Amino acid sequence: MSVSTVSKALNDNGRMAADTRERIKTLAAQIGFRPNALAKGLLSNRSFTVGLLTNDTYGRFTLPVMAGISEALVDHGVSVFLCAIEDDPALGKIHVDAMLDKQVDGIIATGKRVDRSLPVDLAGLPVPVVYAFTKGEPGSVTLTSDDRHGATLATEWLKELGRQRLVHITGPREFVSAVERAEAFRTVAGNGAPVLHGVWSEAWGHEAIDRIWKEGGERPDGIFCGNDQIARGVADALRERGARVPGDVSVIGFDNWEIMAAQTRPPLTTIDTNLKELGREAGLMVLALAEGRAIEPGLRRLPCKLVIRDSCGGGRQQN
Amino acid sequence: MSVSTVSKALNDNGRMAADTRERIKTLAAQIGFRPNALAKGLLSNRSFTVGLLTNDTYGRFTLPVMAGISEALVDHGVSVFLCAIEDDPALGKIHVDAMLDKQVDGIIATGKRVDRSLPVDLAGLPVPVVYAFTKGEPGSVTLTSDDRHGATLATEWLKELGRQRLVHITGPREFVSAVERAEAFRTVAGNGAPVLHGVWSEAWGHEAIDRIWKEGGERPDGIFCGNDQIARGVADALRERGARVPGDVSVIGFDNWEIMAAQTRPPLTTIDTNLKELGREAGLMVLALAEGRAIEPGLRRLPCKLVIRDSCGGGRQQN
DNA sequence: TTGAAAGCGATACCAC
DNA sequence: GTGGTATCGCTTTCAA
């Protein structure tokens, strides 16, 4: 039995006796034959491999994105190289070169914010690149979550619950996502609604509440926080001051970072940024590009989703 | 100029005019020539690729381990496939098969606890397997952190600080790591020292303190927690009861999970389990095995490290 | 319907 | 010193 016959049998191409084909297939299965992907790739110029480049140390963004990519691509026989490059351009280059040597079919670049790019130049690479949650070259394909949409969802939810005096406590002005969320917040809550910029930490959540309480004046009954860490700080600070959450104040977070949101007392109602879905789309897009299908370049914003837990109240009447 | 000459020039083997070699190298660099790793691999039976299999969703263990592996292997030109298989045997098999097809030089299996194995059978694979933080086949190479050592470090630190009434609040008895840490705790703190088993959560930390306070009797002045989440719950619960940390009670955690330990009030003194180092060793070990060098099978326990922050006091006199 | 042969990109051996 | 040639495992084209 010749190699070429076997090859055709297993790949269902070429004309041959259905009987022979079956026999070969059964035999192949019996001896557990698995074709060498390296040899295949050498011939087809497809390695069924993509690279994921990230500078997100905690994996807070990378992991869900990775999960989505992997889930979408495993069905296509594609495996994913994970390369954590910190913010080191040299390390970045080493990893990119290693991936190119290994003939990756494409690269997905991912980070922590869409207004900063990774410390590597991915323009003009011989393989397609898709950017997720990080800034791409002009004319590139980029995915991110829709901050305005998420912020709108959050603020509207607070209003729906009857909250009147809304405040937004969020991260630094330097982050476009902070700015966009703040804008959306004001669009819904009213132009005069206060926005406090600080850092993305629990400590800032505490401090912001401290500041608001010290100021005197009317206290908020609904607080939209720029991320779940801030929300956690806020919830703790409120409790310490005797304000009940959600009795007196509704607190809503952003990100749906499970380990943070679920462990807060009370568990946080928050906005899920759909990172896994984002990963899935990114995966399918590099794959499409690798197969020569065209993808409209530009920035795609994926919708967010409200996740109801206990920190806002109003959970009962929802799914 | 023939291909063979070029090959020899670039790989520094074979005899040839130093001048020719130089010329070829310069030219290659100029046109940005990079050899095709697939072709190389086909010939050498080495793909310079390893697979990392994990069922750790949050990446709490996987990420540091991955970072260590990657760091150790990038110098050797090895890239890492990350495969998150949850607890799905079918998914596990798919990923393992995909990796084998791609001719990985070895596989590192990693999980969340050393007394459970992944839902895939990695025995009898044609490539070497190293287990990190997950249970391996009998006679396999396994790495884990030394729970007894870490617990000893923690308990001794509490004693050094002059704490007398020590308590250990930890996870379920079903985890060997919980049991081993508890044993080490008692060895240092005395056989009568109380150990409270619960779950690995903040909520359990709260509850445990609640229980201790309600019981009446002498209250602890030093609490060794089974992980940083429990420690955080404990610290919060103590504060709520007016006990000062570290003034009245020293609290020490386990894991040095940055996002948890650093954000706790006060920031947690804790035990670092050296996961990155563990990853690095695992990486070097698969590599060694892949290159045919022998590695003594068995369970290797890597030492832990005390990380001093504020929750125990005594920080000043240390580095 | 099957099989022989070329070739994918690189390396190693052996003539020249 | 340099270059031809076989080879890795597989797919594809073409002849038998």
Side-chain angles (χ1 to χ4, degrees):
Chain A
M1 186 128 311
S2 84
V3 280
S4 40
T5 311
V6 172
S7 171
K8 279 182 293 187
L10 296 176
N11 291 292
D12 283 322
N13 50 17
R15 299 164 284 285
M16 65 191 317
D19 154 54
T20 318
R21 173 158 291 162
E22 257 341 291
R23 247 191 20 257
I24 293 178
K25 281 188 173 178
T26 333
L27 202 58
Q30 269 180 25
I31 64 170
F33 172 82
R34 316 219 93 232
N36 182 324
L38 264 41
K40 266 181 136 126
L42 193 53
L43 210 50
S44 64
N45 278 319
R46 292 268 279 108
S47 63
F48 292 91
T49 279
V50 306
L52 179 60
L53 218 53
T54 178
N55 69 345
D56 164 31
T57 325
Y58 289 144
R60 189 161 136 219
F61 299 99
T62 297
L63 277 175
V65 171
M66 168 81 200
I69 297 173
S70 187
E71 216 174 279
L73 296 188
V74 75
D75 296 332
H76 300 265
V78 175
S79 306
V80 183
F81 287 122
L82 179 57
C83 307
I85 60 169
E86 314 299 328
D87 286 305
D88 182 346
L91 189 56
K93 181 157 173 36
I94 291 177
H95 271 124
V96 170
D97 284 347
M99 295 195 299
L100 293 178
D101 289 353
K102 278 156 193 146
Q103 311 294 115
V104 289
D105 296 334
I107 291 179
I108 300 172
T110 183
K112 290 171 285 198
R113 47 188 292 196
V114 77
D115 51 351
R116 284 283 181 282
S117 48
L118 296 185
V120 258
D121 184 16
L122 300 175
L125 251 41
V127 298
V129 178
V130 168
Y131 298 83
F133 244 82
T134 192
K135 189 160 152 196
E137 319 294 331
S140 60
V141 177
T142 304
L143 289 165
T144 189
S145 55
D146 190 336
D147 287 297
R148 289 174 201 279
H149 175 246
T152 304
L153 236 43
T155 318
E156 281 177 346
W157 180 237
L158 290 175
K159 291 192 79 171
E160 254 177 72
L161 293 168
R163 300 307 185 170
Q164 311 271 344
R165 300 180 305 284
L166 306 187
V167 173
H168 181 37
I169 302 176
T170 188
R173 276 200 184 73
E174 290 71 45
F175 283 66
V176 287
S177 57
V179 171
E180 292 187 350
R181 290 177 203 169
E183 285 171 0
F185 167 73
R186 282 205 160 121
T187 302
V188 179
N191 259 323
V195 174
L196 283 73
H197 288 280
V199 295
W200 299 111
S201 73
E202 280 190 57
W204 162 236
H206 277 279
E207 191 193 320
I209 292 302
D210 197 45
R211 209 179 284 183
I212 293 173
W213 251 241
K214 279 201 179 121
E215 252 176 16
E218 222 175 23
R219 285 174 182 162
D221 62 355
I223 304 181
F224 167 35
C225 300
N227 73 4
D228 290 339
Q229 292 176 78
I230 295 175
R232 171 151 201 185
V234 164
D236 285 347
L238 288 171
R239 184 163 7 87
E240 285 167 17
R241 283 167 181 71
R244 289 169 309 138
V245 177
D248 302 323
V249 188
S250 288
V251 175
I252 187 167
F254 205 101
D255 283 346
N256 193 27
W257 189 15
E258 280 277 331
I259 50 170
M260 197 49 65
Q263 293 289 314
T264 300
R265 289 179 307 155
L268 288 175
T269 289
T270 186
I271 300 298
D272 189 296
T273 47
N274 270 323
L275 293 180
K276 197 167 179 183
E277 182 56 29
L278 197 147
R280 184 194 314 278
E281 299 229 352
L284 294 176
M285 282 181 173
V286 252
L287 194 60
L289 289 167
E291 289 170 351
R293 305 202 299 278
I295 297 276
E296 181 87 15
L299 180 63
R300 279 175 180 62
R301 298 169 191 273
L302 270 65
C304 298
K305 180 171 86 200
L306 176 67
V307 176
I308 298 176
R309 292 199 184 84
D310 305 331
S311 65
C312 285
R316 290 285 175 269
Q317 67 249 36
Q318 290 276 325
N319 53 331
Chain B
M1 189 129 308
S2 85
V3 279
S4 37
T5 311
V6 172
S7 172
K8 278 181 296 187
L10 296 176
N11 292 292
D12 284 324
N13 50 16
R15 300 164 283 286
M16 66 191 315
D19 153 56
T20 318
R21 173 158 290 161
E22 257 340 293
R23 246 188 26 254
I24 293 179
K25 281 190 171 176
T26 333
L27 202 58
Q30 269 178 29
I31 64 170
F33 172 82
R34 315 219 92 232
N36 183 325
L38 264 44
K40 266 179 136 127
L42 192 52
L43 206 51
S44 64
N45 277 319
R46 292 268 279 109
S47 63
F48 291 91
T49 279
V50 306
L52 179 61
L53 219 53
T54 178
N55 69 344
D56 163 32
T57 325
Y58 291 143
R60 191 165 132 215
F61 300 99
T62 298
L63 277 174
V65 172
M66 166 81 199
I69 296 173
S70 188
E71 216 174 278
L73 296 188
V74 75
D75 296 332
H76 301 264
V78 175
S79 307
V80 183
F81 287 123
L82 179 58
C83 306
I85 61 170
E86 315 298 328
D87 286 304
D88 182 347
L91 189 56
K93 182 158 172 38
I94 292 178
H95 271 124
V96 170
D97 284 347
M99 295 194 300
L100 293 178
D101 289 353
K102 280 157 192 144
Q103 310 292 117
V104 289
D105 296 333
I107 292 180
I108 300 172
T110 181
K112 290 170 286 199
R113 47 189 290 196
V114 77
D115 50 351
R116 284 283 182 280
S117 49
L118 296 186
V120 260
D121 184 17
L122 300 175
L125 252 41
V127 298
V129 179
V130 168
Y131 298 83
F133 244 80
T134 193
K135 189 163 153 192
E137 320 295 331
S140 59
V141 176
T142 304
L143 289 166
T144 189
S145 54
D146 190 335
D147 286 297
R148 289 175 200 278
H149 176 244
T152 304
L153 238 42
T155 318
E156 282 178 345
W157 181 236
L158 291 175
K159 291 192 79 170
E160 254 177 72
L161 293 168
R163 299 307 183 172
Q164 310 272 344
R165 301 181 303 283
L166 306 187
V167 173
H168 182 37
I169 303 176
T170 188
R173 274 200 187 71
E174 290 71 47
F175 283 67
V176 285
S177 57
V179 172
E180 292 188 348
R181 290 177 203 169
E183 286 171 359
F185 166 74
R186 281 204 161 123
T187 302
V188 179
N191 260 324
V195 173
L196 283 72
H197 287 280
V199 296
W200 298 111
S201 73
E202 278 190 59
W204 161 237
H206 277 280
E207 193 193 320
I209 291 302
D210 197 44
R211 208 179 284 183
I212 293 173
W213 251 242
K214 279 200 181 120
E215 253 177 18
E218 223 176 21
R219 286 175 180 158
D221 62 357
I223 305 181
F224 167 35
C225 300
N227 72 5
D228 291 339
Q229 292 176 79
I230 294 176
R232 173 155 197 180
V234 164
D236 285 347
L238 288 171
R239 183 159 11 83
E240 285 167 18
R241 281 167 181 71
R244 289 169 307 139
V245 176
D248 302 322
V249 189
S250 288
V251 175
I252 187 165
F254 205 102
D255 282 348
N256 193 26
W257 190 13
E258 279 278 332
I259 51 170
M260 196 51 63
Q263 293 289 314
T264 300
R265 291 178 307 152
L268 287 176
T269 289
T270 186
I271 300 298
D272 189 296
T273 47
N274 270 323
L275 292 180
K276 197 166 178 183
E277 182 56 28
L278 198 147
R280 182 193 316 277
E281 298 229 352
L284 294 176
M285 281 180 174
V286 252
L287 194 61
L289 290 166
E291 290 170 352
R293 305 203 299 277
I295 297 277
E296 181 87 15
L299 180 62
R300 277 174 182 63
R301 300 169 190 272
L302 270 63
C304 298
K305 179 172 86 198
L306 175 67
V307 175
I308 299 177
R309 293 200 185 82
D310 305 332
S311 66
C312 285
R316 290 285 174 270
Q317 67 249 39
Q318 289 275 326
N319 53 334

